[in-house]
Amino acid sequence: MAGQRVFVSGVGGELGTQIASLLEDEPWVGALAGIDADPPRSRFKRTTFHRIHPHEHDRIVSTLIDFDPHVLVHVGVWEPNARAAPRLAAELTDRAATSILGAAAECPSLEHVIVRSAITIYGRDSLTRPDEDAPIRPTSEWGRTVADIERTAASVAERAGVTVGAVRLAPVIGPHVPSPLGRLLRLPAVPFNVLRDPSFAVIRQNDAARAIVAAARERLAQPVNVVASDSVSVSQAALRGRRVPVPTMGPQWPFARRLAHMAGAPIPDHVAETLIHGRLADNGRMRELLGIVPEQTTPEVIDSLYGWPSIIRHPARKQVA
């Protein structure tokens, strides 16, 4: 298995950069290459980076086919209101998936595909913790997007005669990670559903990266939920960060979303579902399928979110002649 060629899409983002950096230290990985519209967040030791926009279909296809990977790790997805507005995020994600996964099917050496997915694929349900056998019933744009990615990857894998695994991540939060949920929780006031105050779980970007690398190493051939243990309610999360929980119900939600947008934290529909219905999933198969468990619990990830330094503005000083 040593000397495997691995190609990582979305390598310019915080998560993709960390995944590539971890893969560089894997003994089974030989040549390593990545692609993104933006440059990586840190220097790579041996990863070849290709800066290509999702609209450049022909360049993406030729780059991937020329590299001819054994393993494709597809994390080139745009969460709504993370790095792009919802409509643009959906367009970029669709274009990237079509070009990258389509080209992968033409690579003669391809053996395995790993795709980034999300627990939003199960739809809104805070009363249970769906496991990987639960029906796929997305009720948000982000949920439908990752469901489409999984279907496309499965179709490509069947056509190419390779295996495919889907890593269904809880909301990813961590330093420098563009997260609409993270931005919202850092506002001075955080709206929550006063009728239920539902619970949610997250995953720190370090653990998400470790899980995706483990999925590639173990040749994951099915979906797996990657979720930090324990959970918090929305009001509990706000209080942990000394924010003001704002009781919200019914017709007050559209007004709360407008205020959050004006404050610089737009609330896409999948984050609104988290606030109103919660967001949980069962992570019981992580150890069995990936051989790892998250290093941080959900409360610890939330605490680290509020531990990030805020911008401190100092008035300009007059120069002394």
Side-chain angles (χ1 to χ4, degrees):
M1 183 176 169
Q4 296 275 290
R5 293 186 299 276
V6 182
F7 194 93
V8 183
S9 70
V11 77
E14 176 70 20
L15 181 60
T17 297
Q18 192 161 1
I19 289 169
S21 297
L22 291 174
L23 285 169
E24 289 181 333
D25 296 328
E26 289 286 313
W28 60 273
V29 176
L32 188 59
I35 187 175
D36 207 327
D38 300 310
R41 296 301 189 265
S42 64
R43 292 183 180 274
F44 292 133
K45 292 182 291 187
R46 60 187 185 91
T47 302
T48 301
F49 171 66
H50 302 273
R51 189 174 185 179
I52 307 176
H53 196 276
H55 288 87
E56 299 178 89
H57 172 79
D58 291 344
R59 284 190 63 198
I60 292 174
V61 172
S62 63
T63 298
L64 196 58
I65 291 178
D66 288 346
F67 185 72
D68 189 22
H70 296 99
V71 178
L72 170 65
V73 179
H74 180 55
V75 293
V77 300
W78 280 258
E79 181 182 0
N81 286 127
R83 290 191 291 168
R87 183 175 297 180
L88 178 59
E91 178 188 348
L92 293 172
T93 299
D94 180 66
R95 285 180 177 272
T98 300
S99 299
I100 293 167
L101 293 174
E106 307 303 320
C107 296
S109 298
L110 187 70
E111 300 173 357
H112 192 67
V113 177
I114 292 293
V115 295
R116 174 187 175 178
S117 187
I119 61 173
T120 51
I121 201 169
Y122 302 116
R124 52 176 177 261
D125 187 358
S126 66
L127 299 180
T128 62
R129 295 176 181 264
D131 62 19
E132 293 82 353
D133 296 326
I136 295 176
R137 295 172 179 169
T139 50
S140 66
E141 183 62 34
W142 180 228
R144 289 185 285 271
T145 293
V146 295
D148 287 343
I149 290 174
E150 287 197 23
R151 281 192 290 267
T152 301
S155 176
V156 165
E158 182 178 4
R159 186 165 84 242
V162 302
T163 52
V164 61
V167 181
R168 295 174 178 171
L169 299 174
V172 180
I173 292 178
H176 315 299
V177 174
S179 164
L181 178 59
R183 291 194 198 104
L184 177 72
L185 292 176
R186 292 199 74 190
L187 290 179
V190 181
F192 73 97
N193 184 355
V194 68
L195 299 179
R196 297 174 64 184
D197 193 16
S199 297
F200 67 96
V202 296
I203 190 76
R204 183 156 174 140
Q205 96 280 0
N206 309 62
D207 284 327
R210 289 173 55 241
I212 291 174
V213 170
R217 180 176 58 245
E218 300 298 328
R219 297 296 193 269
L220 177 73
Q222 64 186 80
V224 62
N225 294 335
V226 174
V227 184
S229 59
D230 300 332
S231 63
V232 295
S233 70
V234 179
S235 66
Q236 288 171 346
L239 290 171
R240 294 182 80 94
R242 298 182 180 179
R243 268 56 177 179
V244 178
V246 180
T248 310
M249 61 184 296
Q252 296 172 334
W253 278 108
F255 181 65
R257 294 180 71 172
R258 284 196 295 271
L259 285 179
H261 193 284
M262 292 172 60
I267 303 178
D269 55 357
H270 68 286
V271 174
E273 285 185 356
T274 301
L275 300 177
I276 299 172
H277 302 283
R279 181 75 70 206
L280 299 172
D282 183 87
N283 67 353
R285 297 183 187 173
M286 273 193 68
R287 185 185 295 275
E288 172 193 351
L289 297 176
L290 303 180
I292 63 170
V293 293
E295 293 179 346
Q296 288 188 302
T297 66
T298 289
E300 289 172 340
V301 177
I302 296 298
D303 289 343
S304 69
L305 171 73
Y306 291 119
W308 300 346
S310 299
I311 295 175
I312 300 175
R313 293 179 174 85
H314 295 283
R317 295 180 179 179
K318 293 182 178 180
Q319 291 185 347
V320 179

